[in-house]
């Protein structure tokens, strides 16, 4: 609610920056409802949201649209043409899609916070730590992406539920949710590591439960399947002669000519003729310059500075876990060891999550657009919320009591009310969450560099 109000204020007071971003033609608002929707929710349709809304309205028209996975557009189309269809008389399809995005992400974000709490209760073996972590998730530095027409909320929900089910040893059910994560974002493929590690660990420790290993391999196939199917869809859309039969509206053809976008049936892309046609990686490289060290340019220094806090926080979280469990980390968690503590952030159950975020940080810094790293990490991994919860409880052990005269039972609210008496480390941590929450909203809704 607060973020929605903030984006309205910032979108109204600050003029939009003329960014070099995807800007397809929109149906002109022709009713009071359309104008009101644009006023209230227009800020949620910036940057990548333009792609998702365009795909939901027109389908995969241009080649570069194939970089955006289909689950969110399918959900938006279903809501706009289903429950919200009776509003057709007062809202255009784009307006209904914007409303659908706001409602869907609000719902998914709330359930993602609950799922993170459930996952934390199992992995941390501490309800209080899990509860504080879920509260921090609700004030995440990437909050604007959880509300805008992005796939982060949907991805976080599917990922956290899937991992919680894996922790409860419900492998196939968990993999179904993790497959939904893959259908919403490509980095859902990294969740396969949680499954394969269990298989390798069993082999190293001499256990050969064929039934469980069979379920694990089946689950791995289920998680990978959406990615494979989407690549096949991309191939059939842009690499087969039948693609020329697809009709494209005249205004979209005109935009393709102006911007040099590739349409189905035009000259076949080079990736069509490779041994293993992989649209996603080729499109990312061609249109966004994604690749190893491609983003290490002096002009990208401001974007590196924007991502620096989450890089430092992640590095600190990884290093502190390594210091607490050096043998566990060196052995890659494959050997069963007797640990001093099996609960809290430094417990052995957290190892896989730390390994997962380590891989995401390394890949993100070296191969991705660095400004994406904040939303990538905070929607894909629970580690940073668990680590911040651990640090806050260590620095402010009083937050679960009433020693400072606060009547609120919400520890996050109690911390904010006691701001002046907090430890410097606590203020820096909370300050990062709050400043990026507000600053990120102001930048994003006005097409400024927070993508």
């Amino acid at each position: 609610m607060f973020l929605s109000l903030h984006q309205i204020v910032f979108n109204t007071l600050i003029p939009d920056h003329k960014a070099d971003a995807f800007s397809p033609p929109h149906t002109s608002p022709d009713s009071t409802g359309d104008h009101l929707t644009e006023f209230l929710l227009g800020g949620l349709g910036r940057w990548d949201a333009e792609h998702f809304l365009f795909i939901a309205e027109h389908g995969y028209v241009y080649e570069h649209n194939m970089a955006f996975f289909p689950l969110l557009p399918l959900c938006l189309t279903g809501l706009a043409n289903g429950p919200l269809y009776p509003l057709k008389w007062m809202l255009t399809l784009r307006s209904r899609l914007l409303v659908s995005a706001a409602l869907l992400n609000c719902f998914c974000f709330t359930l993602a916070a609950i799922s993170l709490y459930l996952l934390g209760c199992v992995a941390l073996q501490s309800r209080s730590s899990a509860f504080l972590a879920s509260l921090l998730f609700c004030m995440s530095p990437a909050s604007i992406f959880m509300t805008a027409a992005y796939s982060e909320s949907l991805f976080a929900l599917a990922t956290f539920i899937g991992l919680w089910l894996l922790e409860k040893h419900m492998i196939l059910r968990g993999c179904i949710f993790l497959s939904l994560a893959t259908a919403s974002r490509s980095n859902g493929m990294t969740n396969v590591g949680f499954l394969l590690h269990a298989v390798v660990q069993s082999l190293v420790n001499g256990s050969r439960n064929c039934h469980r290993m069979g379920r694990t391999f089946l689950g791995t196939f289920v998680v990978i399947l959406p990615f494979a199917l989407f690549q096949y869809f991309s191939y059939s859309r842009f690499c087969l002669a039948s693609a020329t039969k697809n009709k494209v509206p005249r205004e979209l053809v005109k935009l393709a000519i102006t911007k040099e976008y590739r349409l189905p049936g035009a000259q076949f892309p080079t990736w069509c003729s490779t041994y293993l046609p992989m649209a996603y990686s080729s499109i990312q490289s061609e249109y966004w310059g994604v690749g190893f060290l491609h983003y290490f340019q002096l002009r990208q220094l401001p974007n590196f500075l924007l991502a620096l806090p989450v890089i430092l926080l992640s590095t600190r979280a990884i290093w502190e876990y390594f210091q607490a469990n050096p043998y566990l980390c060196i052995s890659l968690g494959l050997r069963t060891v007797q640990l001093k503590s099996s609960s809290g952030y430094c417990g052995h159950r957290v190892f896989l999550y730390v390994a997962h975020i380590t891989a995401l940080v390394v890949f993100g810094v070296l191969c991705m657009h660095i400004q994406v790293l904040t939303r990538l990490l905070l929607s894909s991994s629970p580690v940073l919320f668990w680590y911040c919860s651990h640090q806050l409880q260590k620095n402010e052990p009083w937050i679960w009591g009433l020693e400072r005269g606060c009547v609120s039972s919400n520890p996050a609210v109690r911390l904010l009310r006691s701001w002046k008496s907090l430890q410097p480390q606590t203020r820096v941590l909370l300050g990062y969450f709050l400043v990026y929450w507000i600053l990120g909203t102001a930048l994003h809704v006005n097409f400024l560099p927070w993508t």
Side-chain angles (χ1 to χ4, degrees), residues 210-437:
C210 295
H211 179 65
R212 183 171 182 179
M213 290 178 64
R215 285 189 300 160
T216 301
F217 283 121
L218 177 59
T220 301
F221 172 78
V222 170
V223 175
I224 295 174
L225 184 61
F227 182 87
L229 290 176
F230 189 57
Q231 298 315 297
Y232 176 76
F233 171 74
S234 302
Y235 181 84
S236 64
R237 181 78 173 162
F238 285 90
C239 301
L240 299 180
S242 59
T244 58
K245 298 178 182 179
N246 296 313
K247 294 183 179 180
V248 179
R250 182 178 301 176
E251 65 273 14
L252 300 185
V253 173
K254 183 178 179 181
L255 179 65
I257 295 172
T258 303
K259 295 291 186 177
E260 298 183 349
Y261 295 152
R262 185 176 286 123
L263 290 165
Q267 183 180 2
F268 290 156
T270 55
W271 55 265
C272 291
S273 57
T274 58
Y275 177 73
L276 184 63
M278 192 72 70
Y280 180 76
S281 55
S282 300
I283 291 170
Q284 287 281 4
S285 176
E286 179 180 351
Y287 288 91
W288 285 277
V290 173
F292 182 65
L293 300 182
H294 286 186
Y295 221 57
F296 280 69
Q297 305 171 27
L298 185 60
R299 63 189 178 90
Q300 300 298 344
L301 182 59
N303 288 322
F304 274 88
L305 293 176
L306 278 175
L308 185 60
V310 80
I311 295 174
L312 294 176
L313 183 61
S314 302
T315 304
R316 180 66 182 271
I318 295 165
W319 177 245
E320 187 161 324
Y321 188 86
F322 178 83
Q323 286 184 310
N325 304 287
Y327 180 77
L328 180 66
C329 295
I330 291 172
S331 65
L332 300 180
L334 297 176
R335 291 288 184 182
T336 303
V337 293
Q338 187 66 37
L339 302 174
K340 295 179 181 179
S341 173
S342 61
S343 64
Y345 175 72
C346 295
H348 70 278
R349 287 174 173 265
V350 181
F351 167 76
L352 272 183
Y353 300 94
V354 174
H356 177 245
I357 197 174
T358 302
L360 290 177
V361 170
V362 172
F363 180 79
V365 170
L366 297 180
C367 301
M368 293 176 56
H369 285 193
I370 196 68
Q371 69 267 31
V372 175
L373 194 61
T374 301
R375 62 182 172 96
L376 170 75
L377 298 179
L378 293 172
S379 64
S380 305
S381 172
V383 166
L384 294 182
F385 302 109
W386 290 346
Y387 176 70
C388 292
S389 173
H390 167 72
Q391 287 296 318
L392 291 177
Q393 291 180 96
K394 184 172 69 172
N395 294 335
E396 314 293 341
W398 53 270
I399 60 175
W400 298 109
L402 298 174
E403 293 85 349
R404 301 201 176 189
C406 293
V407 296
S408 175
S409 60
N410 185 319
V413 173
R414 298 195 68 226
L415 285 169
L416 295 176
R417 287 181 174 178
S418 305
W419 183 266
K420 293 183 179 180
S421 59
L422 297 178
Q423 297 289 334
Q425 301 94 318
T426 304
R427 282 193 240 176
V428 169
L429 187 59
L430 292 178
Y432 164 58
F433 273 66
L434 294 174
V435 168
Y436 267 59
W437 184 19

Side-chain angles (χ1 to χ4, degrees), residues 72-121:
L72 178 63
L74 286 173
C75 291
L76 296 183
T77 302
L79 287 173
N81 292 323
L84 297 183
Y85 188 77
L87 299 179
K88 182 180 180 180
W89 65 275
M90 60 179 295
L91 296 177
T92 61
L93 178 56
R94 176 178 168 80
S95 295
R96 300 202 310 274
L97 288 170
L98 264 176
V99 174
S100 298
L103 294 176
L104 177 67
N105 281 342
C106 180
F107 177 75
C108 290
F109 185 60
T110 302
L111 290 185
I114 297 172
S115 303
L116 178 61
Y117 168 73
L118 295 174
L119 177 60
C121 287

Side-chain angles (χ1 to χ4, degrees), residues 41-56:
L41 303 176
L44 303 181
R46 309 301 192 215
W47 293 109
D48 287 359
E50 284 280 20
H51 289 274
F52 285 115
L53 293 170
F54 176 83
I55 294 167

